[in-house]
Amino acid sequence: MALTTGPRSLLTRRQVRGITAAALALALLTGAMVWFAGSGDRALDEACGGALAADEVRAVLGDSGVEVTSSTEGTFGGDGGTSLAVRCEVTAEDKGRVDVTISGAPRPRAEYGTGEPYTALPAHDTLPVPLGHGWSGLLATDNARQGDPGDGKATAAVLLDCARGGRSLLITVRTALGGATLDDPATRPSFVRTATATARRADDRWDCGARLGRPVRSVGLPVNKDEYEPLLGATGTCATVPTAARSAVSTARETARARAPREICALGARDGSPRYRLDAYYGPYAEDARAQYTRNDGEGVTPAEKPSGRLGRSAYWAGADCPHGAPRALYLIRADDADGDARARPDLGYERAALKAFAARSTEDHGCAAPVTP
C-alpha cells in the first residue's frame, strides 16, 4: 500500500491525513505495510507512523526543502513476540540527513535467521557513551575516530522497557549534519534530541508506558582508542575488574555507567595496546547477540543455549535474569590483542575473574539478578 504526499497529489491535506491514519491503524492490527514518500510539513509530521519528532528534525535540518520516505509494518505485542518495524528517512540537500528506525522487541524466533533483527550501533574501536539523564540509551560516532573530515555523523539509540508483557521499543537515529562536529560539547545534544523526543512519541503511539528520561542538555564524547587510563583507578564500566600481571593487563578504556543497554570495558597493556574486551548486552541487544549464535551451526554450545560457558580458546560468557520479563542479559569477555598473544596463550583464570567482576557490577547497576558465570 502506498501513499504519495508530494505537491502533485490530487487529495486534500485532510483526506490524506485521514487515509494515512486509517492505514496506520490497519497496519498495527494486521501487520500490513504502509509506505509513502513526499516532502514538506505533512510528510514530516506523518513519518515513522506519526512518531517522528518532527520539530527536532526541523531544528537540525531546517523547515524547508526536506524529502521524506517512511514505512511502517508489523504488530506490537502478543504472546509470540512483536514484529513491529518502522523506518523513516529525512534528507535536506544542503544540511544533512536523519534516518530513524523503531523496532519492537522481542522479535519472533522465526525471524532470527532473516538478517539483523535490530539496527546495530557502529562497530569499531571508539566506545559509545551513555545518554544519562534517566534514559537507557547511547551515543556512538559513525567514524573510526573524532577529528575526521565530515565527522558530523553519529548514532543515538534509546531503549524503552514497556510497563507490561516483557516488551520494549528500540529507537535508533543516525544523523549526518554538514559542518557539525561531535567534538563540540554545545552541538552534541543535537545528535540526541531527535532520538529522545521520538522515543517519547513512540511510547505514547504504541502504548508502551515506559519510564522516560529528562531532556538531554549535555552528553559525553565517545571514547577513542588512545584514551586509556590505569585500570586500578577505573570508576565506570571497568570498575572492580582486576589487573593481571601474567596477561599484562593494567590499563582500561571505559565509559560512565548510566543504565545503558550496551556497556564496554576495553582492557589493555601498560602502553594501552589491547588485550581483552568485556561487553554487556541488555534487552534487544542481548536478544540480537544470541540470535547471531543461533544462526551459527558450527559453534557447539553457545550463549543461545546456556546461561554461561566458554567459547573457543579464549572467550567466556555469563548471563543474568533481568526485571519485567526482559531477555536475559549477556556478558562476554574476548581476547582483543592485535598480535594474538592473548588468544595463543589464554589466561583462562583471569578471563573468568574479570568477567565475573564485570558482570556482577553491571547487573547491580541494572537491577538484574546475580549473574550466572562460568
Side-chain angles (χ1 to χ4, degrees), residues 121 127-140 155-158 188 192 196 216 218-223 236-237 254-264 366:
L121 294 170
L127 307 186
V129 291
L131 300 185
H133 301 81
W135 293 101
S136 175
L138 294 160
L139 175 66
T155 298
V158 175
R188 277 200 296 275
V192 172
T196 54
V216 177
S218 63
V219 65
L221 187 66
V223 179
T237 50
E254 63 173 2
T255 69
R257 290 189 187 275
R259 223 165 51 88
R262 285 279 285 107
E263 295 179 348
I264 302 169
H366 284 261

Side-chain angles (χ1 to χ4, degrees), residues 33-210:
M33 170 181 275
V34 174
W35 179 90
F36 72 81
S39 61
D41 286 347
R42 183 174 66 237
L44 199 57
D45 290 337
E46 293 167 354
C48 273
L52 179 67
D55 288 344
E56 280 68 22
V57 173
R58 291 185 183 101
V60 296
L61 295 184
D63 56 4
S64 62
V66 298
E67 297 292 331
V68 182
T69 60
S70 182
S71 65
T72 302
E73 63 179 317
T75 58
F76 188 57
D79 295 337
T82 170
S83 58
L84 180 69
V86 180
R87 179 172 180 178
C88 56
E89 183 178 278
V90 184
T91 59
E93 184 175 350
D94 297 331
K95 293 190 176 180
R97 183 185 75 255
V98 174
D99 189 355
V100 179
T101 59
I102 303 171
S103 301
R107 310 296 285 185
R109 291 188 64 85
E111 294 186 10
Y112 284 2
T114 61
E116 300 297 332
Y118 305 101
T119 302
L121 294 170
H124 44 60
D125 290 334
T126 304
L127 307 186
V129 291
L131 300 185
H133 301 81
W135 293 101
S136 175
L138 294 160
L139 175 66
T141 176
D142 283 11
N143 300 294
R145 58 186 177 86
Q146 283 79 41
D148 285 348
D151 66 347
K153 298 179 181 179
T155 298
V158 175
L159 175 62
L160 299 179
D161 290 319
C162 299
R164 59 184 180 276
R167 299 179 303 159
S168 61
L169 291 168
L170 180 63
I171 296 90
T172 308
V173 178
R174 291 176 173 166
T175 305
L177 300 179
T181 172
L182 282 176
D183 288 330
D184 185 348
T187 64
R188 277 200 296 275
S190 65
F191 290 90
V192 172
R193 291 189 185 113
T194 298
T196 54
T198 298
R200 288 185 180 276
R201 294 173 65 93
D203 179 75
D204 180 65
R205 179 73 177 82
W206 285 283
D207 192 26
C208 177

